[in-house]
Amino acid sequence: MNKDGDIIIIEDDSDDRELLIHIFEELGKEHGYENRLVLIEEAEDLIDFLKSDEANPFIIISDINMPKVNGFDLRNLIFSDAELRRKAIPFIFLTTARNNEKFLQRAYELSIQGYFVKPISYPAYKKLINDIITYWKNAQIL
């Protein structure tokens, strides 16, 4: 895992993408994160990106509720591809699905590395993103 690699966000909502761009810009300045932020609007585009020479993944943060390929199906696509599974890219869900036990159970059955609910307030959202990135930057992973 390249801790200075791409932070890949799969998010279909343009307002959420803009908010995350702003959060990551602030966190980069405050904490010296130099990771490239890669925003992918259509989940089905992720596989091609990950297999391209351009990709240098550090972590994948994905929404669950997306129109064509939902987050669960996306995780299945990655996990069922031997080449991508071998890369062991941390895969995290960031969703609005609060208190949804079925979603949570299904997510962990897919061997995800985290399930987080999008906070309502900007400061809480920023703190959550910082906590996620800090955790993975400090994790000892092969």
Side-chain angles (χ1 to χ4, degrees):
M1 175 173 64
N2 180 359
K3 293 181 181 186
D4 294 320
D6 302 334
I7 297 172
I8 304 166
I9 306 286
I10 298 90
E11 175 60 66
D12 64 315
D13 184 271
S14 61
D15 290 336
D16 283 347
R17 283 193 310 274
E18 289 301 316
L19 182 61
L20 286 165
I21 288 169
H22 189 67
I23 287 172
F24 276 102
E25 285 174 352
E26 285 187 9
L27 291 175
K29 290 175 186 171
E30 293 169 12
H31 300 282
Y33 299 148
E34 295 184 5
N35 303 73
R36 177 175 69 152
L37 186 62
V38 176
L39 293 148
I40 297 178
E41 185 175 341
E42 301 287 338
E44 60 271 17
D45 295 337
L46 177 64
I47 303 300
D48 289 337
F49 174 75
L50 290 174
K51 290 186 172 193
S52 74
D53 291 336
E54 180 186 355
N56 182 20
F58 164 50
I59 191 169
I60 298 170
I61 301 173
S62 177
D63 192 6
I64 292 176
N65 296 312
M66 296 179 284
K68 295 178 186 174
V69 175
N70 68 40
F72 298 123
D73 293 339
L74 178 61
R75 176 62 177 155
N76 272 331
L77 288 170
I78 293 169
F79 203 68
S80 64
D81 185 296
E83 175 189 351
L84 294 178
R85 187 174 59 245
R86 223 177 354 266
K87 291 183 179 186
I89 308 162
F91 190 98
I92 293 171
F93 282 130
L94 182 61
T95 181
T96 56
R98 298 184 185 284
N99 302 322
N100 190 325
E101 195 171 313
K102 285 184 180 181
F103 271 24
L104 194 57
Q105 170 113 17
R106 187 170 177 200
Y108 282 104
E109 287 172 357
L110 294 171
S111 299
I112 62 151
Q113 286 73 45
Y115 184 104
F116 299 92
V117 176
K118 295 175 183 176
I120 296 170
S121 77
Y122 183 84
Y125 206 163
K126 183 177 169 184
K127 181 184 180 319
L128 175 64
I129 295 297
N130 187 58
D131 290 348
I132 292 168
I133 299 306
T134 299
Y135 172 85
W136 284 104
K137 285 212 176 251
N138 288 308
Q140 298 298 307
I141 310 256
L142 292 175

